[in-house]
Amino acid sequence: MTMLGPLGFTAPWLLLGFLALPILWLILRAVPPAPIRRRFPGVALLLGLTDDDQVTDRTPWWLLLMRMLAMAAVILGLAGPVLNPRGGGAEQTGSGPLLVVMDASWSSASDWTQRRQALDTLLTRAERQSRPVALMRLTAPERAEFQAAGVLRSRLQGILPEPWQPDDAAVVRAIAVLPDGDFDSYWMSDGLARASRAPLLAALEARGEVTVFESPRAHYALLPATYADGNVLLTLRRLRPGPEAELSVAAHGLDPAGNPAVLVRAPALFEQGASETELALALPAELRARITRFEIEGARSAGAVALPDDSLRRREVALMAGNENREGLELLAPLHFLHKALEPSADLLDGSLQEVLPANPDVIVLADVATLAPGEAQGVLDWVEQGGTLLRFAGPRLAASDVSRSEEDPLMPVRLRVGGRSVGGAMSWGEPKSLAPFPEDSPFAGLDIPPDVTVSSQVMAQPDPTLATRSIAQLTDGTPLVTRKRVGQGQVVLFHVTANAEWSSLPLSGLFVSMLERLAVSSMPAAPTPEDLAGTIWQPIRVLDAFGRVADAGILPGVAGEAVMGDSLGPDLRPGLYQGEDRSLARNVAGPDMAFDPAAWPDRIAVEGLSRPQETPLAGWVLGLAVLLLMADVIASLALSGRLTGARAARAAVVGIALLLAVPQARAQEPGLTDDAAILAASEVTLAHVITGDAQIDDMALAGLRGLSDVLFFRTSVEPADPMGVDLETDELAFFPLIYWPVTASQPAPSAAAYAKLNDYLRSGGMILFDTRDADVASFGAASPEGRKLQALAAPLDIPPLEPIPQDHVLTRTFYLLQDFPGRYAGRDVWVEAAAPDAEMIEGMPFRNLNDNVTPVVIGGNDWAAAWATGARGTPLVRMGSGFAGERQREIAYRFGVNLVMYVLTGNYKSDQVHVPALLDRLGQ
């Protein structure tokens, strides 16, 4: 490409045409305008005279200039002008193979559209230069094969980022599968620093020149939510420090009616030069339990989404007292104030220890329970070691017992002094004592202490070396009021006063509620280690894609417990929510230990980004200007010749306007079936799709049927012709055995005549495959706009009663033996005509004895066309899943399509009993 300042030319030799403009100027000057006819009687006197010196009139200068500009625009447009052409890098000036390396991680998702446009520009330039190109994604490295740039351009829509970063193993695998020979590289970086970049960069530089593409856009990460000091804490990070910036953080969940909604929205402010900020949300327990995800609004990446797990849910608290027989003295009941304090924020359980331990509550509260039976004590100890919180309160029973006196009891945080602890006893005070401020490392830190909260009696802790570290609340004289110790993954906490108001006024205050709330919320154990989860299997419930969208995990397999917390994210461990036997764990993209630093490239590496102006081809605009100038020249010539006056001018204006309006109308019209197409459809097996008016949907439907036709050609005796689009209003439907109808929310309803034609088609043996393409977001019915539109479209049709495809339906065995019917998605039932009531199973036969009727409609939402769709070269157009699992799903989708076509062509012949031995033999294999 030749560069002239900000312009480049793909065919610069055509600019030599400018040398012919002076000659054209002289020729145009010699051409006079057409003469104007006028009757003049005196001309008769000139008859017979001749003039040897003929002088031509001159073309007006402005008309001559217009013609010259039109010719110059034609020459310039044909030379292929490009505004802001890129130059200087190996991907610009080289001529050999080019390898495009993409990090394709979650950090690339926020500006993926712009990245794809930049990649399209790069491939367009490589196609002009006839450079072979290969593509490698580091998040899913596969052996890259060089091919024509145009082939890769056709697959751009299927290239997507993944919700994880390339780990060291992926980079080692990428280096191992690099193409042979020398080539230049264009590395589209996600901007994050990783130690694994260095060996890959060295390997690429050994093959040729390397250019790096890196977006200057700000990248943000949202760490998992934590609970501290009564608030939900969210930590936000940004990749590069910068000016002051305010972001909006939203908490999504279900409203009281069960509908998805934004429950909380709050601003988070980054100070100037800061790379981290914290947001504290004071949320009631009931609201916290309904939150399903936090996200930074507008960030559009998995790193900006944090899924909460059990750490924010409503707790289960079991309450037990040593003596509850206080008839008529409700305010003195040991559990009265505990019930009042915990009911708003926790689910309360009542019963004996043998009854509540199998329920695995988060907290067990023992109010003045002194002695436990050996079996009870061991059960409680095992429960605490697995992460439970045992919360004990003192009282007369505990004060009078020998529990934890000479030696520390496993279920007590400290040793206790011998003797009763009541007013007037040896350890009573002259005046009640108040509480001292809570230490910073206490779970109660930050709580305000009312001055009227006093303590008149308590059980005293025996001074020990560990007493100071286990005391989390104390009186003004330093006497411990609340002590705590860790036991395994759980904890034991003791309030040295009663749970009622007999020994202190603490239960009468709001401080008591806050202290219980802090302890109940902190009852969840710390994040388990891989060793703690060894031998368990965790099933994914919801997973994130790279853009931060939450989807159902579907048929993803379970993950070993040690891998859930120990392995890095990847194809086998996606970010999302995982469910165990009694709790859930969230694996988020961003974690507290995640390195979030910008990538630093050596000075020798050229780095470019989205801030650079993108290439803009100007050939179409310049040639369009040339056409406008030539049209203006025609109008000016007619005007100068006197042929554009009066009625002629009006007629010319009407013709010109009609021509301008006819162009878009002709483009917008979808052609109906021609006679040749109708003959072909009648003579060959031809699949068809309903034209919806949405060009993207119609193109995908046509590509899907083309891919299915190719599979039928190579695998069966059916040799379909090229598929067609049909207009329900104008085209004949009887030519097509199967019509695919992709349902869109905006397509118009057919007319009454079209519905009559559709009902005739269904009654005469035709089949319509309705596809709402919404199985990833909705279940069957009106749960989506497409589902509601399908109900409206199908209401006037003569459709029989429907049922989900039963296991013995002929569709499961017309050609392939199938159990599932996936398309691009695999999460929905497929509905067909319900079997007759008398179609019962016969003893000894594996299938019901059905008649030869074929269901007139098949209804689903798995987006089969996208799974079947192939390009001109036979390559899939839509990416499905990753690796073998995605291609296996595509293969099952093809098999469903084959079964569907064979079913509509052959009917229920597979139900004939003659096929039973062969089918039983295959099923046995």
Side-chain angles (χ1 to χ4, degrees):
M1 179 180 292
T2 301
M3 308 267 301
L4 293 177
L7 284 178
F9 297 92
T10 59
W13 56 272
L14 287 177
L15 296 177
L16 296 175
F18 283 113
L19 299 178
L21 288 182
I23 301 175
L24 185 63
W25 174 278
L26 296 176
I27 294 175
L28 293 177
R29 287 186 63 191
V31 178
I36 301 176
R37 293 180 178 274
R38 293 287 187 269
R39 291 184 178 276
F40 181 63
V43 175
L45 301 175
L46 304 178
L47 295 175
L49 298 179
T50 60
D51 187 359
D52 295 333
D53 298 324
Q54 296 182 359
V55 180
T56 60
D57 194 4
R58 301 297 178 90
T59 303
W61 67 269
W62 54 270
L63 182 59
L64 184 60
L65 178 62
M66 185 185 301
R67 292 172 177 173
M68 295 298 295
L69 290 175
M71 295 308 300
V74 170
I75 295 171
L76 188 64
L78 294 178
V82 178
L83 182 64
N84 300 317
R86 297 187 178 184
E91 81 289 354
Q92 320 292 336
T93 60
S95 58
L98 176 65
L99 174 65
V100 179
V101 180
M102 305 183 73
D103 285 342
S105 72
W106 61 266
S107 184
S108 306
S110 58
D111 50 15
W112 189 253
T113 301
Q114 293 82 356
R115 288 173 179 268
R116 193 155 50 193
Q117 291 173 352
L119 180 57
D120 182 66
T121 301
L122 177 67
L123 295 177
T124 302
R125 187 166 49 252
E127 190 173 14
R128 286 198 304 259
Q129 299 170 351
S130 300
R131 301 185 67 181
V133 182
L135 178 68
M136 176 184 290
R137 294 186 309 137
L138 295 182
T139 46
E142 297 177 353
R143 180 168 294 278
E145 301 292 341
F146 289 107
Q147 52 189 318
V151 176
L152 281 180
R153 286 191 67 199
S154 66
R155 295 170 45 200
L156 281 184
Q157 294 300 320
I159 300 174
L160 296 173
E162 302 288 0
W164 56 80
Q165 296 186 46
D167 57 12
D168 294 345
V171 173
V172 171
R173 188 163 58 251
I175 295 175
V177 297
L178 286 176
D180 298 328
D182 294 335
F183 52 83
D184 295 326
S185 302
Y186 190 73
W187 192 338
M188 301 192 77
S189 166
D190 60 8
L192 302 182
R194 284 186 290 272
S196 59
R197 289 193 187 277
L200 180 57
L201 180 60
L204 294 177
E205 286 189 295
R207 308 295 182 90
E209 190 173 343
V210 178
T211 302
V212 172
F213 174 96
E214 196 166 273
S215 171
R217 180 171 176 170
H219 296 276
Y220 299 97
L222 180 62
L223 272 59
T226 59
Y227 192 89
D229 299 335
N231 296 320
V232 176
L233 301 181
L234 296 170
T235 301
L236 292 79
R237 294 179 181 174
R238 59 179 173 181
L239 187 59
R240 295 178 178 86
E244 181 179 295
E246 183 176 284
L247 303 178
S248 177
V249 178
H252 293 257
L254 300 178
D255 62 15
N259 301 314
V262 176
L263 304 180
V264 180
R265 181 177 282 114
L269 181 66
F270 280 97
E271 300 290 345
Q272 183 172 357
S275 57
E276 182 173 310
T277 187
E278 192 173 81
L279 175 64
L281 301 176
L283 305 177
E286 190 276 334
L287 185 61
R288 291 199 311 269
R290 290 194 278 115
I291 294 176
T292 57
R293 77 180 187 275
F294 297 93
E295 71 174 16
I296 302 175
E297 294 187 303
R300 291 188 69 247
S301 79
V305 175
L307 299 179
D309 49 23
D310 287 346
S311 59
L312 298 184
R313 68 173 175 84
R314 192 177 176 94
R315 299 294 181 261
E316 290 184 347
V317 180
L319 301 178
M320 277 162 282
N323 181 12
E324 299 184 16
N325 275 330
R326 287 182 176 267
E327 298 182 4
L329 300 177
E330 183 177 354
L331 294 179
L332 295 180
L335 301 181
H336 172 76
F337 292 101
L338 288 172
H339 273 284
K340 296 297 183 182
L342 293 175
E343 276 179 344
S345 60
D347 295 327
L348 303 183
L349 306 178
D350 292 318
S352 64
L353 284 174
Q354 290 84 355
E355 294 172 340
V356 301
L357 281 177
N360 193 30
D362 299 302
V363 183
I364 294 179
V365 180
L366 300 180
D368 196 20
V369 175
T371 304
L372 299 177
E376 293 178 330
Q378 187 59 45
V380 173
L381 182 60
D382 294 340
W383 169 80
V384 172
E385 290 178 342
Q386 294 175 6
T389 291
L390 178 62
L391 179 59
R392 307 190 69 160
F393 284 86
R397 289 173 174 266
L398 184 61
S401 71
D402 295 328
V403 174
S404 198
R405 303 296 183 180
S406 58
E407 61 181 16
E408 184 179 302
D409 189 278
L411 297 179
M412 293 289 287
V414 293
R415 289 194 304 126
L416 302 178
R417 289 189 181 184
V418 180
R421 299 294 178 263
S422 59
V423 176
M427 300 304 299
S428 63
W429 302 291
E431 293 183 0
K433 299 294 183 182
S434 58
L435 276 65
F438 299 115
E440 294 183 358
D441 59 348
S442 168
F444 313 131
L447 294 179
D448 294 330
I449 300 175
D452 57 345
V453 174
T454 59
V455 175
S456 57
S457 295
Q458 68 169 156
V459 293
M460 300 291 290
Q462 184 72 33
D464 279 328
T466 60
L467 180 60
T469 59
R470 295 182 180 181
S471 177
I472 56 177
Q474 55 189 2
L475 302 178
T476 52
D477 62 356
T479 306
L481 177 65
V482 184
T483 53
R484 177 180 65 175
K485 77 173 180 181
R486 298 289 180 181
V487 179
Q489 296 184 44
Q491 60 180 347
V492 177
V493 180
L494 172 64
F495 276 74
H496 292 239
V497 293
T498 57
N500 56 22
E502 286 184 327
W503 286 12
S504 72
S505 60
L506 177 62
L508 302 176
S509 69
L511 177 62
F512 186 63
V513 178
S514 300
M515 294 175 73
L516 291 178
E517 168 71 8
R518 294 284 184 91
L519 289 173
V521 170
S522 66
S523 65
M524 290 304 297
T529 64
E531 292 75 16
D532 297 331
L533 302 181
T536 61
I537 298 296
W538 294 72
Q539 186 66 34
I541 304 301
R542 295 189 296 273
V543 293
L544 288 173
D545 67 4
F547 301 98
R549 296 175 299 205
V550 181
D552 186 82
I555 59 174
L556 289 178
V559 181
E562 54 269 29
V564 170
M565 299 306 297
D567 291 359
S568 57
L569 296 175
D572 299 326
L573 180 63
R574 299 171 179 270
L577 191 65
Y578 291 81
Q579 182 65 48
E581 292 183 359
D582 54 4
R583 64 176 297 187
S584 61
L585 289 175
R587 275 304 303 267
N588 289 291
V589 169
D593 300 329
M594 181 190 72
F596 196 57
D597 301 310
W601 299 94
D603 294 337
R604 64 182 182 277
I605 301 298
V607 180
E608 60 182 44
L610 293 175
S611 58
R612 181 174 183 172
Q614 295 294 312
E615 284 188 357
T616 305
L618 300 178
W621 295 98
V622 176
L623 291 176
L625 176 62
V627 172
L628 291 177
L629 290 174
L630 291 175
M631 292 178 63
D633 174 74
V634 171
I635 296 173
S637 299
L638 291 175
L640 289 175
S641 64
R643 299 179 182 177
L644 201 63
T645 58
R648 291 182 177 178
R651 287 195 295 270
V654 171
V655 171
I657 294 173
L659 289 174
L660 292 175
L661 295 178
V663 174
Q665 289 176 355
R667 289 180 180 175
Q669 232 176 8
E670 290 288 348
L673 288 179
T674 63
D675 291 341
D676 292 340
I679 294 173
L680 177 63
S683 58
E684 300 284 348
V685 175
T686 306
L687 307 180
H689 72 89
V690 173
I691 297 174
T692 65
D694 187 319
Q696 184 176 0
I697 300 298
D698 293 340
D699 291 343
M700 184 61 71
L702 187 63
L705 295 181
R706 181 171 58 243
L708 179 58
S709 298
D710 291 341
V711 171
L712 288 165
F713 181 88
F714 288 109
R715 302 187 186 183
T716 72
S717 59
V718 180
E719 298 181 359
D722 290 338
M724 302 179 184
V726 294
D727 187 332
L728 298 177
E729 303 293 338
T730 60
D731 295 335
E732 178 58 53
L733 306 181
F735 301 139
F736 310 102
L738 173 66
I739 296 178
Y740 175 73
W741 192 336
V743 179
T744 64
S746 59
Q747 64 183 265
S751 64
Y755 272 121
K757 190 190 306 181
L758 283 167
N759 281 325
D760 289 341
Y761 171 77
L762 295 176
R763 292 164 185 154
S764 60
M767 177 188 288
I768 298 178
L769 173 60
F770 289 97
D771 191 354
T772 55
R773 304 168 295 103
D774 60 354
D776 60 328
V777 296
S779 58
F780 184 76
S784 70
E786 290 79 8
R788 292 188 288 272
K789 188 66 176 183
L790 172 60
Q791 291 183 342
L793 291 174
L797 294 177
D798 186 11
I799 296 178
L802 303 177
E803 67 177 358
I805 294 183
Q807 293 182 353
D808 64 339
H809 196 276
V810 183
L811 264 176
T812 64
R813 59 187 189 278
T814 48
F815 194 86
Y816 291 101
L817 295 178
L818 297 178
Q819 295 178 342
D820 301 305
F821 312 95
R824 183 181 184 185
Y825 312 115
R828 266 271 286 277
D829 287 335
V830 180
W831 293 71
V832 296
E833 180 181 2
D838 59 348
E840 298 178 353
M841 189 76 71
I842 300 177
E843 184 177 358
M845 297 297 178
F847 313 117
R848 288 177 291 180
N849 188 17
L850 301 174
N851 58 24
D852 287 337
N853 287 337
V854 174
T855 176
V857 295
V858 177
I859 300 177
N862 292 335
D863 199 0
W864 289 288
W868 299 334
T870 58
R873 297 177 178 270
T875 56
L877 295 182
V878 178
R879 177 175 176 270
M880 294 178 57
S882 62
F884 176 81
E887 291 308 310
R888 177 62 180 171
Q889 183 173 330
R890 190 190 307 278
E891 172 61 23
I892 300 300
Y894 277 135
R895 294 186 179 187
F896 168 66
V898 171
N899 276 19
L900 193 65
V901 174
M902 300 300 288
Y903 172 58
V904 75
L905 293 179
T906 63
N908 283 342
Y909 88 102
K910 282 285 186 177
S911 286
D912 294 343
Q913 303 306 312
V914 68
H915 297 285
V916 169
L919 290 173
L920 287 176
D921 182 64
R922 290 187 62 190
L923 288 172
Q925 296 174 4

